[in-house]
Amino acid sequence: MMALGVDVHAQTARSGKPTERSKQKALAEAERAGLQQKLSALKKDISKTESAKEDAADTLAESEQAISDANRALRDLQQELGDTHTKLQQLTAERERLTATVALQKQQLAKLLREHYVAGNEDRIKLLLSGDNPNRINRDLQMMAYVSQAQARLLDALRANLKAVEDNQAEAQNANDELAEIAQEQLQQKAKLEQEKTRRAALLSTLSQKLVAQRKEAGNVERDEQRISGLVDKLNKLIEEQAIAAAAEKKRQEQLAAARAAAKAKADAEKKAQLLAQAQARAKAAAAAQAERERLAKANANKSGTIKPTQPAQPARPPVPAKPDPIDADEPKVAVKPAPEPVEEPARPPARAADIALAPAAPAGAFASLKGQLRAPVSGQIAARFGTKRGQGPSWKGVFIRAAEGADVRAVAGGRVVFAEWLRGFGNLIIVDHGGQYMSIYGNNQSLLKRAGDIVKAGDPIASAGNSGGNEESGLYFELRHQGTAFDPAGWVKF
């Protein structure tokens, strides 16, 4: 994996700058690091309670994890390749459209300039001084204004489209760089996959007898059951903690939104009050000016000695009140009291991504309502059923479905992946939380296609079937659990 990072870095260095894809990939890896650290610590905590007795399957762990990582990487790269090709096709079509638009706009601009030149460049001043009919001059000036505005709009549109062509070319170059990046990574992952498959085959040939002997030991099966139960219990506790943290983060976001809305409402109210005060001040000033004009007129009339017929005294007009805002016209008039200052609570820091990454993605009752409607996680033949004896050991806590190596394993319902790692006794294991303390467990996979924290829908491919963990035949080990206890999936899944 280190070689892959160096090669990709060299690739981006040659192109001058990192692509958007490499930036987003680095950001996603950084966000997953915190969650991975939590799950690794949880896994180590389970291992502490076990005896130090070596398990032959542990020798395969590194190789099987590497095969899983390489297969997932290849699948992700294939998806990225398709998306990037689609993006490049869209950019090419957009560039062709923009190029045609720019060519048309250039033709229109050339035609306008040519007509302007032929017309003799008659400007507004010459037109005004021509002594022609004023109506004709006014009409010609208006027409010239329309033409000038049309020219300005055409120039603005041309500039905008030229900028869009430039941006399109930059995006297309970035997409081509990403395609080269993906092709390089695919070559490296394929080489790594072949190398790890060869290594695993060699290990299996030397460990086959030891694996068969250990599978027959009843104590090993019991320890596997204790291990998966301990993992599920710890995951349930972690999920509960993260659900509380996610609820607190949601409340914090809602409080921030409410505070922003209150601040905006307060600012709007203050602006409205200010405008009303200004309108009232203007009305008062206008009334005072009118009174002063009337006083001066009366004084001037008295000085000139002009005798005017006596008229009945007019009552003094009150100042014209400012017109109320139409929005407030139908509101009752109440005394305005100053609003109390809000008491600011100390700001709570935002939750880290790793602290809420496993919060339930489905409502509590969603999974229970699907009883009897779930589809089988993989196509194949049931080789062992829940409750039947496992040789001399305890009974099966799930079902084993015999399936071809590499067959798609699909989520039986929507939820969130809470574990996706190699575990002794179960090989490459993936666990999906469906809310309400319901979990589905998928073991012995060849590859895990999802990571912890990913949200999945019913039917999404999450793994590929295999025989990791030292299993003797290819297939899928499948369990359903509620509140940590395994139950018979036969009444829930349509096998």
Side-chain angles (χ1 to χ4, degrees), residues 438-449:
Y438 282 97
M439 287 182 177
S440 55
I441 298 171
Y442 313 77
N444 302 128
N445 298 289
Q446 180 194 62
S447 308
L448 305 177
L449 306 180

Side-chain angles (χ1 to χ4, degrees), residues 35-54:
L35 177 59
Q36 193 59 43
Q37 195 173 7
K38 281 180 179 286
L39 292 174
S40 296
L42 184 147
K43 195 171 158 187
K44 283 181 182 177
D45 192 33
I46 294 170
S47 301
K48 286 178 185 175
T49 62
E50 298 183 352
S51 64
K53 183 181 177 182
E54 183 185 356

Side-chain angles (χ1 to χ4, degrees), residues 131-435:
D132 203 348
N133 186 327
N135 289 331
R136 180 180 175 278
I137 291 173
N138 183 54
R139 186 175 63 252
D140 289 349
L141 285 172
Q142 191 69 34
M143 188 62 67
M144 290 174 70
Y146 289 149
V147 172
S148 296
Q149 290 169 8
Q151 288 174 336
R153 284 195 299 270
L154 182 58
L155 282 169
D156 289 343
L158 181 58
R159 290 192 192 98
N161 283 327
L162 287 171
K163 178 68 169 60
V165 169
E166 185 180 338
D167 293 343
N168 179 283
Q169 289 173 341
E171 281 192 63
Q173 181 59 48
N174 183 71
N176 279 314
D177 290 343
E178 287 179 355
L179 286 174
E181 240 179 46
I182 291 168
Q184 182 67 19
E185 285 187 39
Q186 280 183 321
L187 288 174
Q188 292 165 351
Q189 290 294 347
K190 284 176 180 176
K192 181 180 177 182
L193 181 60
E194 292 305 317
Q195 180 184 350
E196 291 299 339
K197 280 183 175 179
T198 303
R199 182 182 166 207
R200 182 174 183 269
L203 286 170
L204 276 173
S205 65
T206 58
L207 292 171
S208 58
Q209 291 183 352
K210 195 172 182 181
L211 284 168
V212 170
Q214 287 189 345
R215 275 197 298 269
K216 290 179 179 178
E217 291 181 18
N220 277 343
V221 177
E222 289 176 0
R223 282 190 292 272
D224 290 345
E225 164 60 22
Q226 291 170 1
R227 191 177 305 114
I228 192 75
S229 295
L231 174 63
V232 168
D233 289 342
K234 289 181 183 298
L235 282 172
N236 273 325
K237 185 178 178 182
L238 182 59
I239 290 166
E240 186 179 355
E241 291 171 357
Q242 298 220 344
I244 293 170
E249 175 64 12
K250 182 181 178 183
K251 184 178 178 182
R252 188 187 74 85
Q253 293 288 352
E254 288 172 350
Q255 287 174 340
L256 281 176
R260 283 193 290 265
K264 184 178 183 300
K266 184 179 178 182
D268 290 345
E270 288 175 351
K271 184 178 179 182
K272 189 175 175 182
Q274 185 180 9
L275 290 172
L276 183 59
Q278 289 172 354
Q280 289 173 342
R282 284 195 298 269
K284 187 175 180 180
Q290 179 64 24
E292 180 64 14
R293 283 194 295 272
E294 290 177 358
R295 187 188 67 76
L296 290 174
K298 186 175 181 182
N300 290 334
N302 289 337
K303 284 180 183 179
S304 63
T306 304
I307 300 172
K308 292 187 177 180
T310 305
Q311 294 182 354
Q314 298 286 335
R317 293 186 199 172
V320 180
K323 290 184 179 179
D325 192 301
I327 295 174
D328 301 326
D330 58 345
E331 293 182 1
K333 304 297 183 289
V334 294
V336 179
K337 293 182 181 179
E341 289 292 326
V343 179
E344 290 190 5
E345 295 182 3
R348 187 189 297 129
R352 295 183 307 161
D355 293 334
I356 58 175
L358 300 184
F367 188 79
S369 67
L370 298 173
K371 185 175 181 180
Q373 303 173 40
L374 304 177
R375 287 190 172 186
V378 69
S379 296
Q381 180 185 4
I382 295 180
R385 293 185 178 275
F386 178 89
T388 57
K389 292 289 287 182
R390 299 183 69 171
Q392 301 301 316
S395 59
W396 285 87
K397 299 297 182 183
V399 297
F400 184 79
I401 306 170
R402 195 178 290 118
E405 187 172 349
D408 278 347
V409 174
R410 300 178 183 274
V412 294
R416 188 189 295 275
V417 176
V418 293
F419 189 84
E421 289 189 38
W422 193 94
L423 186 71
R424 182 192 283 189
F426 298 89
N428 289 320
L429 176 73
I430 189 163
I431 302 176
V432 179
D433 175 58
H434 302 287

